[in-house]
Every structure is written in structure tokens, then in C-alpha cells.
């Protein structure tokens, strides 16, 4: 037992008080974990576009003050009642969508949309008692997607925690807690391109480049990257992309450009932008008869997907995925092993590191479209 077990922990957290305003490092209180919960010491976290999206309050109802963060690595500090498969000292990756292992989804080989623990961006409290575990001077601070990793300590449901090899470096494998697993899985588990096929990737941030990595592993022969920011193209060459299209360089819709390049359309496309127009283009650029498009990006609150029904009748398939269809507890430890066995490279996704006190710099990099993942070192 750690000496802090059962006690309130006072620690630093980056609190978002208002939409789009810089986070403020505050001294907060973190309550002990309740039934089926664990308290984690976060060692490294990184910024994913989904944090930025909800911080800017572009998705669903804004909920503030809130502690964002969902891509992270840490160590179990203490466990609540009923927790048997985790103990203090275990190395873990928290995940924004959970796995109870008991519901129809968890028992289905096709779904990772756990009935109780699936992603919920509107809820800012813990499931068991509808309360927050974070407070400052008695004022509750909301959680984000059940993880809230922009805090030295956080409380999460045991079903949202993947226990991993303790030898895995947390400053690297933390990116598997969201973005990289999501992109890889979107291609390998959902789009499933065959050897020799063509794949279009919309959005060349870390998620899109991980999707490209998945296409390379599946043996795709043409991997076409589409981004509005041409600075992305240089870095993308390291990820096996073979061709690039900037929609701004063309005076016709990008789906038409891609159809011309590929004799009617790509075999698979994966959308990793969160932009509704890119989602529609990603669907309309797949070949009729067999093409499959997969949506990964998180849309804005009032977005609506519009396409002519004939695009579907012509035997195109539209799919979507959270977390690349990986089941967090069952599948993620094996993805970490792929990194340990050098089958998967993570270092090339990590372009910046900042101390926790400079967390707002990570937001600046992402807003400016600079770099891929910025690791936030909680110990500095
Ligand atoms: P990022 O900001 O690093 O990269 C996004 C890229 O998309 C940028 O390079 C940007 O220039 C490009 N882009 C934006 N609009 C575009 C358009 N219309 N056409 C072409 N390119 C465009 O973001 P990221 O962290 O890689 O995340 C990508 C998306 O995936 C975000 O929407 C994020 O919320 C979402 N996401 C979803 C899941 C999931 O489980 N479904 C998980 C993680 C992230
Ligand atoms: Zn994410």
C-alpha cells in the first residue's frame, strides 16, 4: 500500500477555466478512488486534437472548469474497492473509451463500444456516484472522457486502464493511449486494405500518419496523403506516403482529383481531420463497387454529413471508428509489445517535449499545425 492510499492527494493540474483560454496550473485536491476505480500518477501525457476540439468548445455542450488530457502513461498509486486486476505500481495507459468485459459489445469480436464505459464527452463526473474526484477549495472541477490526464494524479474507472509491460518507456508508449492506436487500428482493423491496394489518408497529423503506417503494414502500394497544410508533406515521407494532394492547389473538388489519379477512386480512404468537407470527400473518393471509407475525425457540434444516395447505391461503404476498434484492456498490451519488438516505430511521431509548466506550448504547436505529438513531462 502506498502511504497516500485512502487520502486526498494535493497536486498540480492544468485547469481549463474557459473555452479557448490558456490552461492554468493549479493546486487541486484529488479524492481517493471509489468502487471499481483506480488513482494513477501520470508521468507523461500528450496532446491530441480531441482535447483541443473540446477545449475550443467545438463539440457538444461546453463544460468548464475541466481537466483535459486523455493520451498518457502512468503508474497505479492506489485502487478502490472491488479492483482485483490492478495493483499499486502497475504501469498503465488510461484510455478514453473503456472495456467492462461483460456487456454485449465487450463480448462481440466486432465492437469496442462498451455499453457502460464507451466514450462520453458530455459527462464530466465519475460513473459510480455522479461526482467529480477533482476539486479546488471545495469547487468541483469536471473530468474529461474519464481520463483527465493533465493532472499529476487522476482517478479513472478500472475498465478504462490498459496494464502494460513495465519495461515499456512511458514517455514513448503514452502515444498509444489514443492517437497512434486509433490511426493504426482505423486502417488495420476497420479499412483493411489488401496488398497492392490504394489508400487515401485525409489529414496528416499523428492520427493520419499512424493510419498511413497501418496501410504500409497491410502492403498497400499507393498511399496518398491529403492535407491543407503542405508543411505536413515533408514529415509524411517518413511514414511511407507515396503521393500528396493539397486541395488548395486544385480548382475542383479533391475527390475528383483523386478519382483521376487512381482510375476511378481509391480502394480505401481514412479521414483523420475532423473537418466535415474532408469527411464527405473521403467517402466520395473511394472506388464504386468495393471502396470503403473510414471516418476517424471528431466533427463539430452542428455538422451534417451530406452526399447523394447514389454514391452509396454504387456500392461504396462508409464506416467510422473510435480508438481504431481496439478493445483497450484486451488489445493494447499487445500493441505495446509491437513497439517493444521493434515492429512499430513511435519515436518518429514525437516531435516536441515540454515540461508540465509549459503545457500551453503544446496547444500552440497544434493550433499552428507544427509537429506531430508533443510529450508533456509531468515530472518537470
Ligand atoms: P492534428 O491536428 O495533428 O492533424 C489534423 C490534420 O488535418 C492537420 O494536419 C490539418 O492540416 C488537417 N486538415 C484539417 N482540415 C483538413 C481538410 N479539410 N482537408 C485536409 N486536411 C485537413 O490532429 P490529430 O491529433 O492527428 O487528430 C486527427 C483527428 O482525429 C481529430 O479530429 C481528432 O479529434 C480525431 N481523433 C479521433 C479519434 C477516434 O477515436 N475516432 C481518436 C483520436 C483522434
Ligand atoms: Zn485522442
Amino acid at each position: 500500500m502506498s502511504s497516500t492510499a485512502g487520502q486526498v492527494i494535493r497536486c498540480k493540474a492544468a485547469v481549463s477555466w474557459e473555452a479557448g483560454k490558456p490552461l492554468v496550473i493549479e493546486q487541486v485536491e484529488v479524492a481517493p478512488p471509489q468502487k471499481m476505480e483506480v488513482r494513477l500518477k501520470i508521468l507523461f501525457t500528450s496532446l491530441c486534437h480531441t482535447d483541443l476540439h473540446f477545449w475550443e468548445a467545438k463539440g457538444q455542450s461546453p463544460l468548464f472548469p475541466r481537466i483535459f488530457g486523455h493520451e498518457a502513461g502512468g503508474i497505479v498509486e492506489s485502487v478502490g474497492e472491488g479492483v482485483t486486476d490492478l495493483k499499486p505500481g502497475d504501469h498503465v495507459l488510461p484510455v478514453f473509451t473503456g472495456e467492462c468485459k461483460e456487456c454485449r459489445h465487450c463480448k462481440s469480436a466486432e465492437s469496442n463500444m462498451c455499453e457502460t464505459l464507451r466514450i462520453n464527452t458530455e459527462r464530466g463526473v465519475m460513473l459510480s456516484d455522479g461526482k467529480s474526484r477533482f476539486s479546488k477549495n471545495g469547487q468541483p472541477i469536471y473530468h474529461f472522457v474519464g481520463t483527465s490526464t493533465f493532472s499529476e494524479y487522476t482517478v479513472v474507472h478500472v475498465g478504462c486502464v490498459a496494464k502494460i509491460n513495465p519495461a515499456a518507456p512511458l514517455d514513448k508508449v503514452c502515444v498509444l493511449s489514443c492517437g497512434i492506436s486509433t490511426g493504426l487500428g482505423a486502417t488495420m482493423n476497420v479499412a483493411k486494405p489488401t496488398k497492392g491496394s490504394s489508400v487515401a489518408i485525409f489529414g496528416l497529423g499523428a492520427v493520419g500518419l499512424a493510419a498511413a503506417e497501418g496501410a504500409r503494414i497491410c502492403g498497400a502500394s499507393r498511399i496518398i496523403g491529403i492535407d491543407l497544410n503542405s508543411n505536413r508533406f515533408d514529415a509524411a515521407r517518413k511514414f511511407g506516403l507515396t503521393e500528396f494532394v493539397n486541395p488548395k492547389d486544385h480548382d475542383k473538388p479533391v475527390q475528383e482529383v483523386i478519382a483521376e489519379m487512381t482510375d476511378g477512386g481509391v480502394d480505401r480512404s481514412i479521414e483523420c481531420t475532423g473537418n466535415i468537407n474532408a469527411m464527405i470527400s473521403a467517402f466520395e473518393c473511394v472506388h464504386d463497387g468495393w471502396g470503403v471509407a473510414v471516418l476517424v475525425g471528431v466533427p463539430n457540434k452542428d455538422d451534417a454529413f451530406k452526399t447523394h444516395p447514389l454514391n452509396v447505391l454504387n456500392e461504396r461503404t462508409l464506416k467510422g471508428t473510435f480508438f481504431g476498434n481496439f478493445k483497450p484492456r484486451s488489445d493494447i498490451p499487445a500493441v505495446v509489445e509491437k513497439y517493444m519488438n521493434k515492429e512499430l516505430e513511435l519515436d518518429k511521431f514525437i516531435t516536441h517535449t515540454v515540461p508540465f509548466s509549459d503545457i500551453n506550448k503544446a496547444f500552440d504547436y497544434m493550433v499552428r499545425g507544427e509537429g506531430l505529438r508533443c510529450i508533456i513531462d509531468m515530472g518537470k
Side-chain angles (χ1 to χ4, degrees):
M1 283 277 268
S2 63
S3 59
T4 43
Q7 323 250 332
V8 169
I9 290 181
R10 281 178 188 78
C11 69
K12 279 185 277 178
V15 178
S16 181
W17 291 97
E18 238 185 290
K21 295 276 161 64
L23 312 190
V24 184
I25 306 273
E26 305 273 9
Q27 191 79 21
V28 300
E29 282 98 49
V30 184
Q34 301 301 305
K35 197 171 172 190
M36 298 313 276
E37 295 173 359
V38 296
R39 190 161 56 184
L40 308 179
K41 180 175 170 59
I42 299 296
L43 300 189
F44 297 95
T45 184
S46 47
L47 180 65
C48 164
H49 204 117
T50 310
D51 297 304
L52 190 80
H53 185 78
F54 286 92
W55 167 74
E56 289 177 328
K58 287 186 178 167
Q60 303 178 4
S61 323
L63 207 55
F64 294 95
R66 205 170 198 186
I67 296 174
F68 287 104
H70 63 280
E71 199 173 275
I75 295 180
V76 176
E77 174 269 339
S78 63
V79 304
E81 184 194 330
V83 174
T84 52
D85 51 358
L86 285 174
K87 56 179 188 321
D90 283 344
H91 286 219
V92 296
L93 303 182
V95 181
F96 65 85
T97 195
E99 181 185 357
C100 74
K101 297 196 175 182
E102 277 158 24
C103 72
R104 283 178 301 166
H105 290 271
C106 287
K107 287 190 170 144
S108 154
E110 291 179 316
S111 172
N112 69 342
M113 297 292 291
C114 174
E115 227 155 80
T116 25
L117 300 172
R118 68 168 60 176
I119 181 171
N120 183 331
T121 54
E122 297 244 286
R123 187 173 57 227
V125 292
M126 297 308 285
L127 263 183
S128 67
D129 58 1
K131 290 192 179 136
S132 172
R133 302 285 171 264
F134 297 110
S135 58
K136 181 172 171 62
N137 303 330
Q139 178 189 6
I141 302 170
Y142 290 114
H143 294 246
F144 177 63
V145 294
T147 51
S148 293
T149 59
F150 296 161
S151 176
E152 291 176 310
Y153 287 87
T154 187
V155 176
V156 301
H157 193 285
V158 65
C160 299
V161 180
K163 179 175 164 177
I164 61 161
N165 183 343
L170 288 171
D171 58 339
K172 303 285 192 293
V173 298
C174 62
V175 297
L176 290 173
S177 142
C178 176
I180 310 309
S181 299
T182 296
L184 260 190
T187 307
M188 300 181 73
N189 301 335
V190 188
K192 298 184 183 164
T194 53
K195 207 164 185 300
S197 59
S198 57
V199 179
I201 311 280
F202 285 74
L204 304 177
V207 178
L209 292 175
E213 193 80 342
R216 187 184 57 75
I217 295 169
C218 290
S221 57
R222 290 183 75 179
I223 310 176
I224 305 170
I226 299 105
D227 204 298
L228 295 171
N229 173 1
S230 295
N231 294 334
R232 289 287 194 209
F233 298 159
D234 259 352
R237 282 177 226 283
K238 278 189 245 156
F239 294 80
L241 280 100
T242 55
E243 291 144 88
F244 299 100
V245 179
N246 187 334
K248 287 188 198 157
D249 296 341
H250 301 271
D251 49 19
K252 56 182 148 198
V254 66
Q255 51 272 48
E256 286 177 28
V257 177
I258 294 170
E260 278 168 20
M261 288 166 70
T262 54
D263 193 17
V266 284
D267 301 312
R268 298 290 184 267
S269 80
I270 298 122
E271 176 281 325
C272 308
T273 68
N275 178 279
I276 186 65
N277 297 321
M279 294 182 192
I280 295 167
S281 302
F283 175 59
E284 294 182 354
C285 81
V286 299
H287 208 287
D288 57 9
W290 60 77
V292 179
V294 179
L295 305 188
V296 177
V298 176
N300 288 347
K301 195 169 174 241
D302 299 320
D303 282 342
F305 188 97
K306 187 165 175 277
T307 192
H308 196 281
L310 259 185
N311 292 327
V312 188
L313 295 181
N314 288 344
E315 303 179 2
R316 294 181 180 90
T317 304
L318 179 63
K319 294 186 169 191
T321 178
F322 275 113
F323 201 48
N325 275 31
F326 284 119
K327 291 182 192 284
R329 296 161 89 185
S330 305
D331 299 336
I332 292 308
V335 181
V336 169
E337 290 314 303
K338 275 193 200 298
Y339 170 74
M340 297 302 278
N341 301 333
K342 301 194 166 41
E343 288 166 59
L344 178 64
E345 276 185 52
L346 295 179
D347 302 49
K348 62 187 178 185
F349 288 99
I350 299 168
T351 51
H352 297 85
T353 303
V354 294
F356 187 35
S357 53
D358 277 344
I359 187 168
N360 288 302
K361 277 194 187 156
F363 282 71
D364 294 342
Y365 293 136
M366 187 164 272
V367 168
R368 292 201 299 260
E370 271 176 46
L372 298 170
R373 280 302 191 249
C374 177
I375 305 291
I376 298 151
D377 185 340
M378 303 302 285
K380 285 193 184 154

